[in-house]
Amino acid sequence: MIHKQRIRCRLTQGDTMTYYNLVKLAHIIVTGHSGSGKSTLSRQIGEQRNLPVVELDDHPLIRENLNRQKQYYLEHKTLDKSPENIARERDAERRAYMEVLSRKDPHVVEGSYFLNANPNDLKEHELHLLDVPEDIIMEQRTKRDVAKRIAKGMDPISVRCSYVTNTDTICVAYAAAVKK
């Protein structure tokens, strides 16, 4: 989207001149690993700049990838890490973020899929990369998983986090979620 910015200048004789500066309004991209705070930061930026927020996880192509991987896991008890599937997922991710970035009006776009993006796809946009220490990410992801289990009426102690190697993290997250 091209925004026409009106600028008025005073000339030496006291007259004014008006000219227009054409400014391209770019999307704001927020990316980082799961649990790094992308959604929180995206909402804050959206509110501050009065922009809509788009979560790439909600894009139909991404949903299709996630559903396909979930079905594969239910059938094989492992994730499909074949080169063909990885290529298919990367292609769908790129098509999803390129579709969102081609929208005329600027948005705050949030997703970890930009971590695999071609930098040339992103150079016209404002980019925020959240680099959060791993122990904080693990704690935040665990808290989120525990809170989801509680919200669904499930036993939160049954949270199995393949990304958590320290059982203290699960206990801290469980205690924090139960306190709420």
Side-chain angles (χ1 to χ4, degrees):
M1 173 180 179
I2 302 295
H3 173 69
K4 191 160 86 171
Q5 181 181 28
R6 186 173 154 204
I7 301 172
R8 294 179 59 98
C9 296
R10 284 217 177 269
L11 300 175
T12 54
Q13 305 300 356
D15 295 330
T16 59
M17 174 185 82
T18 301
Y19 70 95
Y20 294 93
N21 185 20
L22 298 181
V23 179
K24 181 176 182 190
L25 297 179
H27 297 288
I28 299 167
I29 298 168
V30 179
T31 191
H33 289 285
S34 176
S36 63
K38 296 181 303 294
S39 297
T40 302
L41 180 61
S42 297
R43 281 192 303 275
Q44 291 172 350
I45 292 172
E47 289 171 8
Q48 289 172 358
R49 299 194 191 180
N50 199 26
L51 293 173
V53 176
V54 175
E55 292 188 29
L56 278 181
D57 279 345
D58 295 334
H59 193 283
L61 290 170
I62 302 297
R63 283 271 137 229
E64 185 180 321
N65 272 353
L66 295 173
N67 289 335
R68 186 182 313 108
Q69 197 63 276
K70 180 180 178 180
Q71 187 61 39
Y72 187 92
Y73 183 82
L74 292 173
E75 292 172 11
H76 300 92
K77 302 298 181 220
T78 188
L79 297 176
D80 185 358
K81 296 180 182 178
S82 67
E84 299 81 18
N85 186 60
I86 291 171
R88 179 176 49 244
E89 287 183 353
R90 293 291 180 259
D91 179 62
E93 291 165 4
R94 184 174 190 276
R95 287 186 293 135
Y97 73 70
M98 290 304 290
E99 184 274 318
V100 171
L101 296 178
S102 70
R103 296 177 184 175
K104 289 184 180 185
D105 295 328
H107 292 74
V108 178
V109 186
E110 175 260 305
S112 60
Y113 308 99
F114 294 107
L115 294 173
N116 299 315
N118 180 336
N120 290 326
D121 293 342
L122 312 178
K123 64 184 176 187
E124 295 180 12
H125 307 284
E126 182 178 324
L127 181 63
H128 297 264
L129 172 62
L130 299 178
D131 186 12
V132 179
E134 187 177 357
D135 59 328
I136 293 173
I137 288 176
M138 298 307 163
E139 184 176 333
Q140 290 179 180
R141 288 173 72 177
T142 306
K143 283 180 185 176
R144 182 178 58 205
D145 288 352
V146 168
K148 283 181 182 179
R149 295 264 176 154
I150 291 171
K152 291 179 180 179
M154 299 169 72
D155 178 12
I157 212 69
S158 67
V159 170
R160 292 186 187 142
C161 302
S162 61
Y163 46 81
V164 174
T165 56
N166 183 343
T167 55
D168 291 343
T169 303
I170 293 176
C171 295
V172 168
Y174 174 74
V178 171
K179 284 180 186 177
K180 290 182 181 181

